[in-house]
Amino acid sequence: MTPAAAPRMRPLPIAEWAEEELELLRGNMARADRYLTGAADAPPVPSILGLFARHPRLSAPWLAFSGTLLDGGTLEPRDRELLILRVGQRTGCRYQWAQHVGMARAAGLEPEQIAALRDGDGAWSDRDRDILLAADQLVDGHTIDDALWERLAARFDERRLLELLFVVGGYVCLAMVLNSVGLEPSNGSDPDAGPAPRPSGPPAE
């Protein structure tokens, strides 16, 4: 299956938001709050927040969960962004990919590594390969095999292992939503994000 070719559910324009919707979404993720001040000089609201405004009672807790992963997590930011971009590439989620390319660069991923992720190739360190393989196994089979788990457990403590699982699972869930509604990348997305990733099989072990 491929993502929706045209939007099926458009973001709710902020002019149509009720104050209740703003209040529910505020205070859950620090990086989202700057768009939700209601001030005249606030930056344009990203389309994902406009989508969330259509069901704020569901979306507000999701923002809080995502905020914990992005701003309060224990994984190294580079590891987290490597996982998220891999999920975006494997699920073909254009929005997710475009939104996280800049974050991945800021976290330390090189442009050639991001290009390799997009194209499904590249030479990786053993550590990076295990992180990518964890994402692949979770996307494909919904579990991590014993051999990979042992290698990951030698690198990460229990909190980071749990967080790795939640990052992949959370962003697969989000990709399913974004692909199904056909959400387009925001105008403020990284201009160098490149074309939409296409789902592909995992790299050779």
Side-chain angles (χ1 to χ4, degrees):
M1 300 292 290
T2 57
R8 293 169 170 166
M9 189 182 297
R10 297 185 182 277
L12 186 68
I14 195 165
E16 299 177 22
W17 292 26
E19 184 61 27
E20 178 189 12
E21 289 155 354
L22 272 172
E23 286 302 315
L24 283 169
L25 293 176
R26 285 183 186 130
N28 294 291
M29 181 193 283
R31 65 183 69 210
D33 280 349
R34 67 182 185 271
Y35 302 105
L36 302 175
T37 64
D41 59 351
V45 173
S47 52
I48 192 168
L49 291 180
L51 179 68
F52 284 179
R54 293 197 177 277
H55 195 343
R57 291 195 179 276
L58 175 71
S59 303
W62 181 267
L63 273 179
F65 170 68
S66 298
T68 298
L69 294 179
L70 293 177
D71 300 320
T74 60
L75 278 176
E76 291 294 325
R78 184 184 180 279
D79 295 341
R80 181 197 68 223
E81 293 303 317
L82 188 60
L83 289 165
I84 293 171
L85 284 186
R86 187 60 170 170
V87 169
Q89 186 261 338
R90 291 299 313 282
T91 59
C93 186
R94 295 180 64 241
Y95 189 97
Q96 191 167 288
W97 178 270
Q99 290 299 114
H100 280 270
V101 164
M103 295 171 67
R105 279 206 204 96
L109 280 167
E110 300 295 334
E112 58 269 21
Q113 292 175 316
I114 294 171
L117 269 173
R118 184 185 61 229
D119 300 330
D121 56 19
W124 299 95
S125 68
D126 289 343
R127 186 179 188 281
D128 284 349
R129 183 170 289 276
D130 279 346
I131 290 171
L132 292 170
L133 186 58
D136 290 330
Q137 288 190 0
L138 289 166
V139 169
D140 292 337
H142 312 134
T143 191
I144 289 175
D145 68 31
D146 289 340
L148 178 57
W149 184 265
E150 288 182 10
R151 297 198 300 273
L152 292 171
R155 303 183 191 278
F156 301 113
D157 63 19
E158 289 182 344
R159 290 187 305 166
R160 289 178 174 85
L161 279 171
L162 279 173
E163 201 167 304
L164 181 153
L165 301 175
F166 274 110
V167 166
V168 175
Y171 278 86
V172 167
C173 176
L174 187 60
M176 289 190 293
V177 173
L178 301 182
N179 283 346
S180 294
V181 303
L183 192 68
E184 293 293 328
S186 301
N187 291 334
S189 299
D190 193 308
D192 298 320
R198 290 178 293 178
S200 69
E205 295 187 42

